[in-house]
């Protein structure tokens, strides 16, 4: 697969449709894959924390969750065509799971959000088999999540622990599993449960989803500080010609 390297992170040059198709094929042939949908904040953290960068480098696919990543790829003359977000991929995987009766496991969010997420998936996608779920506030060193997943053998594991925990959890545990799509889906359970609304399509189409989220949750402002730093480093990469 072709990549565009942005500040040392290899982004897969793949669109949403092709990624979902590939994942479906991998499920059908009982392969294993690790999907990260990354934004500038994740890339900046990987540049500060070498262990986190190593976690990201274990992924099968890293796609552009944020418009900042798509813009950076254009600056580097190796353009990614579109955002491929965790939420959108999750929606399509749920639809496929409904059609093929795939087994899924939900990991993340607080207990109440998780329960509502499960209920809403059961209502919207009645043929999906939810073989297990666990909230995202567990003792990292003492839990039986890996055993639970191995016993229930899901086709897809949705990991909604937010960054950086979701990427770290998959990277540190994926060797224990034989098969399955392990995908980081950030705050998707908050949206599916009805706790948080996604930006209207008109905002998404104008690449303003980040602004919508900031207006809804002003406490996120600190996270936005990664953006100017990210842009500065991308321009530096371009000037150095190291892409
Ligand atoms: N979360 C979790 N465990 C933690 C920290 C966070 O399960 O230790 C969940 C949190 O409840 C929320 C999601 O992870 O549902 C993070 O959402 P956020 O919108 O911050 O994700 P991102 O912006 O990283 O996609």
């Amino acid at each position: 697969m072709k990549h565009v390297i942005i500040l040392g992170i290899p982004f897969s040059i793949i669109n949403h449709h092709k990624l979902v198709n590939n994942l479906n094929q991998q499920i059908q042939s009982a392969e294993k894959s690790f999907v990260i949908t990354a934004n500038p904040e994740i890339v900046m953290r990987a540049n500060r924390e070498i262990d986190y960068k190593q976690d990201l480098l274990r992924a099968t696919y890293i796609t552009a969750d944020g418009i900042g990543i798509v813009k950076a790829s254009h600056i580097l003359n190796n353009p990614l065509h579109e955002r491929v977000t965790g939420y959108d991929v999750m929606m399509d995987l749920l639809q496929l799971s409904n059609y093929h009766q795939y087994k899924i496991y939900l990991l993340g969010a607080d207990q109440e959000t998780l329960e509502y997420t499960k209920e809403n998936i059961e209502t919207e996608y009645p043929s999906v088999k939810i073989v297990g779920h666990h909230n995202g506030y567990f003792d990292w060193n003492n839990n039986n999540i890996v055993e639970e997943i191995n016993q229930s053998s899901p086709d897809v594991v949705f990991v909604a622990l937010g960054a950086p925990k979701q990427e770290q959890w998959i990277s540190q545990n994926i060797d224990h599993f034989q098969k399955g799509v392990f995908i980081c889906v950030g705050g998707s359970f908050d949206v599916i449960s009805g706790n948080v609304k996604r930006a209207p399509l008109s905002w998404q189409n104008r690449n303003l989803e980040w602004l919508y989220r900031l207006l809804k949750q002003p406490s996120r402002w600190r996270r936005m500080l990664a953006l100017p730093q990210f842009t500065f480093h991308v321009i530096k990469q371009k000037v150095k010609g190291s892409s």
Side-chain angles (χ1 to χ4, degrees):
M1 163 149 348
K2 288 195 174 159
H3 293 101
V4 43
I5 311 282
I6 302 179
L7 306 185
I9 303 302
F11 281 82
S12 311
I13 303 185
I14 190 165
N15 64 23
H16 171 93
H17 184 71
K18 177 87 173 91
L19 175 68
V20 172
N21 265 341
N22 285 6
L23 296 178
N24 193 31
Q25 276 172 16
Q26 290 181 327
I27 293 170
Q28 306 249 340
S29 47
E31 287 170 37
K32 190 162 70 172
S33 59
F34 172 9
V35 185
I36 291 176
T37 61
N39 55 24
E41 202 187 338
I42 288 180
V43 174
M44 289 312 292
R45 181 187 289 273
N47 273 266
R48 288 193 309 271
E49 299 172 15
I50 183 69
D51 287 352
Y52 186 54
K53 183 171 181 181
Q54 297 303 336
D55 289 330
L56 300 192
L57 294 179
R58 302 196 70 196
T60 321
Y61 301 97
I62 304 181
T63 71
D65 193 68
I67 187 62
I69 301 289
V70 174
K71 292 245 155 87
S73 76
H74 283 258
I75 292 175
L76 297 169
N77 296 329
N78 203 347
L80 297 167
H81 296 298
E82 60 184 22
R83 292 171 69 200
V84 180
T85 72
Y87 179 81
D88 291 331
V89 176
M90 179 168 180
M91 289 299 108
D92 277 4
L93 287 177
L94 284 175
Q95 212 152 46
L96 278 173
S97 301
N98 197 41
Y99 184 77
H100 295 287
Q101 303 188 4
Y102 290 153
K103 296 191 280 183
I104 69 165
Y105 188 100
L106 304 171
L107 175 61
D110 60 63
Q111 190 62 28
E112 197 188 6
T113 303
L114 179 65
E115 299 288 347
Y116 280 124
T117 301
K118 183 171 167 286
E119 270 175 33
N120 289 348
I121 292 175
E122 282 165 348
T123 310
E124 287 285 315
Y125 308 93
S127 300
V128 172
K129 296 182 177 150
I130 305 181
V131 293
H133 60 289
H134 200 293
N135 71 56
Y137 297 88
F138 51 86
D139 178 347
W140 201 264
N141 299 311
N142 183 20
N143 62 75
N144 54 6
I145 296 170
V146 168
E147 288 74 28
E148 227 181 271
I149 293 177
N150 264 326
Q151 271 164 22
S152 55
S153 165
D155 300 296
V156 188
V157 179
F158 295 106
V159 184
L161 303 173
K165 288 190 177 160
Q166 52 196 9
E167 294 81 18
Q168 290 167 333
W169 190 88
I170 298 179
S171 167
Q172 287 168 24
N173 291 291
I174 194 146
D175 287 345
H176 298 302
F177 307 113
Q178 298 294 327
K179 64 156 202 176
V181 169
F182 292 80
I183 177 166
C184 302
V185 294
S188 298
F189 294 3
D190 299 287
V191 179
I192 296 172
S193 65
N195 282 353
V196 170
K197 276 208 162 35
R198 217 177 157 202
L201 261 184
S202 56
W203 287 58
Q204 289 183 44
N205 291 339
R206 283 186 217 136
N207 297 323
L208 290 174
E209 187 160 20
W210 63 272
L211 179 60
Y212 183 87
R213 293 186 81 182
L214 180 62
L215 293 172
K216 287 278 172 188
Q217 292 170 271
S219 57
R220 295 176 78 93
W221 72 270
R222 201 179 281 280
R223 301 175 51 165
M224 302 286 158
L225 296 180
L227 254 179
Q229 284 173 21
F230 173 76
T231 312
F232 172 76
H233 286 286
V234 168
I235 292 170
K236 213 163 100 184
Q237 176 179 335
K238 174 157 177 95
V239 172
K240 276 191 179 164
S242 58
S243 80

